[in-house]
Amino acid sequence: MRPIRLPEPPGDGMMETPEIFAGGGGGGATVVRRAVLIGNGSPGAENQCLGLARALGLADNLTLYRVTRPRGGINEWLQFLPISLHKFIDQVFRQFFRNTRFALVLQGRKPYRVSNGGSVGLSAILEADVKKIVTVARDTYEKEGPTLVVACGWDTISYSSLIRKLASDNVFVIQIQHPRSRLDRFDLVVTPRHDYYALTASGQQEIPRLFRRWITPQEPPGRNVVLTVGALHQADSAALRLAAIAWHDELAPLPKPLLIVNIGGPTGLSYCAYI
């Protein structure tokens, strides 16, 4: 599949479909018309996927999948494991202890729970399933063209890389945030510049050599890496205009200028305060 590039934001603030996704250049099988997003339940990660899809003009034709871990009981102590190993251990526990009174203690009541899409503005979210995503991408390729797969978050890495491995001719896979693994497992990696900070002249002076390998990749970014100033988001000019209209009556009487403070925390939620 030919490489793609991230387009510049539309100058007038309106969300338009970039030319590379809208048609031309190689027939219908090369045109990207839809996106599959894979998140991990964190609004901070899933909003980055949605922001990229929105910037590419695919906000109206996307499906959001979510990678979920088993919860409850002993599973709360296994969150550090790779997700595939965690799910395997959970299934072993469920089979071994299914007829004992220790089942709820060891496993919790439900292995997976996929919440609705209210937190990201979607009506529904599906449990991530590599086989299903690959099958749909293959079956619809001739008629609808390749599928853009965008993933963000540690638990999504094994899913997105496996999708690319199984259906490399039918998908274009973008991993947001540095996966801390081989970058050739993805077609494109979108990551903040600070992930490579220790390789810069300033970083060499400020970060002790002993710690550099733990906080930054060892090699400069390759051709399939796009560096961003900060995290991707959905706050484009159109969204800001709509927010300005919605909040105008409440904010208009306040003294100017206004200072906006966005505060995030370990709960995965963000709070916005104005002063």
Side-chain angles (χ1 to χ4, degrees):
M1 186 176 297
R2 64 172 182 165
I4 66 173
R5 62 179 175 82
L6 296 178
E8 294 295 327
D12 59 1
M14 301 301 292
M15 296 311 300
E16 299 175 351
T17 302
E19 180 180 355
I20 195 169
F21 292 95
T30 65
V31 179
V32 176
R33 299 187 179 92
R34 59 207 170 93
V36 166
L37 313 183
I38 306 176
N40 62 356
S42 167
E46 293 179 354
N47 274 305
Q48 293 193 61
C49 296
L50 290 164
L52 180 54
R54 181 183 175 91
L56 296 176
L58 298 172
D60 294 329
N61 195 10
L62 60 84
T63 304
L64 177 59
Y65 291 86
R66 181 170 290 169
V67 176
T68 55
R69 286 178 176 268
R71 294 289 182 180
I74 198 174
N75 286 306
E76 302 306 322
W77 298 86
L78 303 178
Q79 301 296 314
F80 69 94
L81 294 175
I83 189 167
S84 57
L85 178 58
H86 185 181
K87 287 188 173 183
F88 174 76
I89 293 175
D90 175 72
Q91 292 300 325
V92 170
F93 280 156
R94 288 181 179 279
Q95 289 296 323
F96 190 77
F97 295 105
R98 59 183 175 180
N99 295 322
T100 72
R101 64 177 58 187
F102 297 105
L104 291 180
V105 176
L106 289 171
Q107 307 163 69
R109 294 185 177 182
K110 293 184 178 180
Y112 316 108
R113 177 178 297 174
V114 181
S115 62
N116 61 35
S119 62
V120 290
L122 298 177
S123 59
I125 298 176
L126 304 175
E127 170 67 23
D129 186 321
V130 169
K131 291 183 179 179
K132 181 182 295 185
I133 295 173
V134 167
T135 298
V136 172
R138 287 173 175 170
D139 292 346
T140 59
Y141 178 76
E142 291 299 327
K143 182 178 180 180
E144 300 185 21
T147 299
L148 180 69
V149 178
V150 183
C152 183
W154 173 256
D155 284 342
T156 70
I157 293 172
S158 59
Y159 285 72
S160 59
S161 60
L162 184 56
I163 290 170
R164 183 177 183 267
K165 180 179 180 180
L166 296 176
S168 59
D169 293 333
N170 310 114
V171 299
F172 190 96
V173 177
I174 301 177
Q175 186 71 35
I176 300 177
Q177 296 180 339
H178 201 289
R180 307 296 174 180
S181 62
R182 289 181 16 245
L183 301 186
D184 58 4
R185 299 165 65 190
F186 315 94
D187 293 299
L188 196 68
V189 174
V190 179
T191 185
R193 293 181 182 276
H194 62 244
D195 278 349
Y196 287 90
Y197 179 68
L199 295 180
T200 66
S202 298
Q204 297 289 346
Q205 295 177 356
E206 297 178 19
I207 301 175
R209 182 179 299 274
L210 177 64
F211 299 110
R212 288 175 195 167
R213 63 173 298 182
W214 303 107
I215 62 175
T216 190
Q218 296 301 293
E219 300 293 335
R223 295 182 60 185
N224 69 325
V225 177
V226 173
L227 299 181
T228 62
V229 175
L232 302 183
H233 52 78
Q234 299 189 70
D236 56 25
S237 56
L240 292 176
R241 269 203 308 272
L242 292 174
I245 295 172
W247 286 85
H248 178 270
D249 292 342
E250 185 168 347
L251 299 181
L254 298 179
K256 306 298 188 297
L258 298 177
L259 175 64
I260 307 298
V261 181
N262 190 26
I263 304 173
T267 62
L269 302 177
S270 293
Y271 301 89
C272 191
Y274 56 86
I275 300 176

